[in-house]
Amino acid sequence: MSLKGKIEAIIYAAEEPVTVDQMAALLRDIVLAEIAQEASNAAAAEETANGETAQADAAAAEGTTPEPHAESAPETPSEVTGEAAVEPDAATEVSAPETTSKKKAPKDPELTAVKAKLRTVLAELVADYQSDARGLEIRQIAGGYRMATKPEHHDVVVGFAKSLKPPIRLSLQALETLAVVAYKQPVTAPEVSEIRGVDSSGVIATLLDRKLVTTAGRKQVIGRPILYKTTKEFLLRFGLKDVNELPSMEEFEKLGDAGQGVLFEAEQKSAGQSASDEAARADDEMMAREEDEIALQDDVVARAAEASGDANASEDAASAATEETKHEPAHAEANSESAADTSEVQGSTNENA
């Protein structure tokens, strides 16, 4: 694959804009090899051209007679002096750029050459995608390069995107069950559970709902269990022509260690995510309990304050009632005395009459 093709594949596969620095780090050796190849081809072409020129000059020299050279006039002292005066200036002019170039020399000339070559290829690639025959274009976004559809095709792309099915997300258990069905099909649910070591009936039901697995009749044994196989949807989702394109068991054995590491990392990530979720849930529950306790304490304090207020009011009423009780005998005595005085007055009045 050519360098342009590699750059095109990287830009297409990347989800975020790809910078020139990222491409240089990834394709440095390939770019340097191509630069060396181009230099070698250029040198070979130059040697070929020089050889052809020399042959032409030799042929021309054989067909012509040498002409006598004219005697050169003696140089005057002034001319010699002028030329000698010019030579120091020329030396100064030559040495000055050399000093400047040494000061501005890049730290890594190979990296500079790689980036320059990448920018040249990127410019050619962008120009190729600007053709009306292409529906995609390469844009410079956020300091990098990204492939996108052209604005004039917006309506067509939106209509197509609306017709697409949403992506299917499968758990690790579902992927394991689907792999067993794909390699052992047609296979029964008990056989899948035996291979995985756990009950897989629920996972198979999920795969049936996702239309990745379908029934394939019944196995002719006692109980006649249902057989399962993969569907056309499975091939579409995984980009397979048929099940024969699945990786062989030998390939899996070669990549067994790497695959186990990936599965172990995925399980660790899942376990860590579950643990973090449990911790967050526990923190939320603890905060909710604390808030409930605070609210309960506030309620108890409010009720106690209300009860103390009622008690104070009762005490005031009781004291007021006690005071009234104390004054009632005095009023009664005063009333009796006033009544006696009145009766005496009435008695004296009657006697006088």
Side-chain angles (χ1 to χ4, degrees):
M1 183 184 290
S2 65
L3 178 61
K4 185 184 292 187
K6 290 182 173 65
I7 295 174
E8 183 179 8
I10 292 172
I11 296 174
Y12 174 78
E15 295 182 358
E16 297 181 357
V18 185
T19 63
V20 176
D21 294 336
Q22 292 174 333
M23 296 182 194
L26 184 62
L27 303 174
R28 177 169 181 152
D29 295 338
I30 298 174
V31 175
L32 290 176
E34 186 162 337
I35 291 174
Q37 183 65 32
E38 290 179 355
S40 176
N41 294 338
E46 184 176 358
E47 289 180 359
T48 303
N50 292 336
E52 293 176 354
T53 304
Q55 291 178 358
D57 294 341
E62 290 177 357
T64 57
T65 57
E67 296 180 357
H69 295 284
E71 295 182 358
S72 57
E75 297 179 353
T76 60
S78 59
E79 291 177 353
V80 175
T81 306
E83 291 177 358
V86 172
E87 287 179 358
D89 295 337
T92 305
E93 291 177 0
V94 171
S95 61
E98 289 180 355
T99 306
T100 306
S101 63
K102 289 181 181 179
K103 290 182 180 179
K104 295 182 179 180
K107 296 181 180 179
D108 192 352
E110 289 185 353
L111 182 60
T112 303
V114 168
K115 289 183 178 180
K117 179 63 175 178
L118 288 174
R119 290 190 179 95
T120 302
V121 176
L122 282 168
E124 296 176 358
L125 196 59
V126 170
D128 292 342
Y129 271 87
Q130 288 178 350
S131 172
D132 294 336
R134 290 182 177 268
L136 300 176
E137 65 180 357
I138 296 178
R139 302 177 185 173
Q140 290 192 23
I141 299 175
Y145 292 86
R146 187 175 186 177
M147 193 172 291
T149 56
K150 291 185 176 180
E152 54 264 30
H153 306 310
H154 173 75
D155 296 336
V156 177
V157 174
V158 169
F160 175 72
K162 289 181 179 179
S163 65
L164 292 177
K165 297 179 181 179
I168 294 179
R169 299 183 181 275
L170 297 175
S171 63
L172 183 60
Q173 294 79 9
L175 287 173
E176 290 178 356
T177 305
L178 186 58
V180 173
V181 175
Y183 279 95
K184 298 293 184 178
Q185 60 182 317
V187 64
T188 63
E191 291 172 345
V192 175
S193 300
E194 183 179 359
I195 293 173
R196 295 189 61 231
V198 293
D199 184 21
S200 304
S201 57
V203 182
I204 291 177
T206 302
L207 295 175
L208 286 170
D209 293 338
R210 301 290 181 86
K211 297 182 179 180
L212 296 174
V213 168
T214 186
T215 59
R218 292 181 177 272
K219 192 171 184 179
Q220 300 301 321
V221 295
I222 298 174
R224 300 186 66 212
I226 299 175
L227 292 169
Y228 297 96
K229 65 177 182 179
T230 56
T231 62
K232 183 180 179 181
E233 185 70 16
F234 166 79
L235 299 177
L236 291 174
R237 293 292 181 177
F238 288 88
L240 301 173
K241 180 181 178 182
D242 51 38
V243 292
N244 294 326
E245 289 190 352
L246 289 170
S248 63
M249 299 306 296
E250 289 77 9
E251 294 175 353
F252 275 117
E253 289 177 357
K254 292 179 182 179
L255 301 175
D257 296 337
Q260 289 178 359
V262 171
L263 291 176
F264 181 70
E265 291 178 0
E267 289 177 355
Q268 280 189 332
K269 185 177 180 180
S270 178
Q273 184 67 26
S274 301
S276 62
D277 294 342
E278 291 293 336
R281 191 179 300 108
D283 293 338
D284 294 339
E285 292 177 357
M286 185 178 295
M287 292 178 64
R289 283 197 299 268
E290 291 178 355
E291 291 177 357
D292 293 339
E293 291 177 358
I294 293 172
L296 182 60
Q297 292 176 359
D298 294 340
D299 190 14
V300 170
V301 171
R303 289 183 180 180
E306 185 178 356
S308 63
D310 295 339
N312 293 331
S314 300
E315 290 178 359
D316 295 339
S319 60
T322 304
E323 291 294 332
E324 289 179 359
T325 305
K326 291 179 180 179
H327 290 295
E328 282 180 359
H331 288 299
E333 291 177 359
N335 291 333
S336 61
E337 290 177 356
S338 61
D341 293 338
T342 302
S343 60
E344 289 178 358
V345 172
Q346 288 180 354
S348 63
T349 301
N350 291 331
E351 288 178 357
N352 292 331

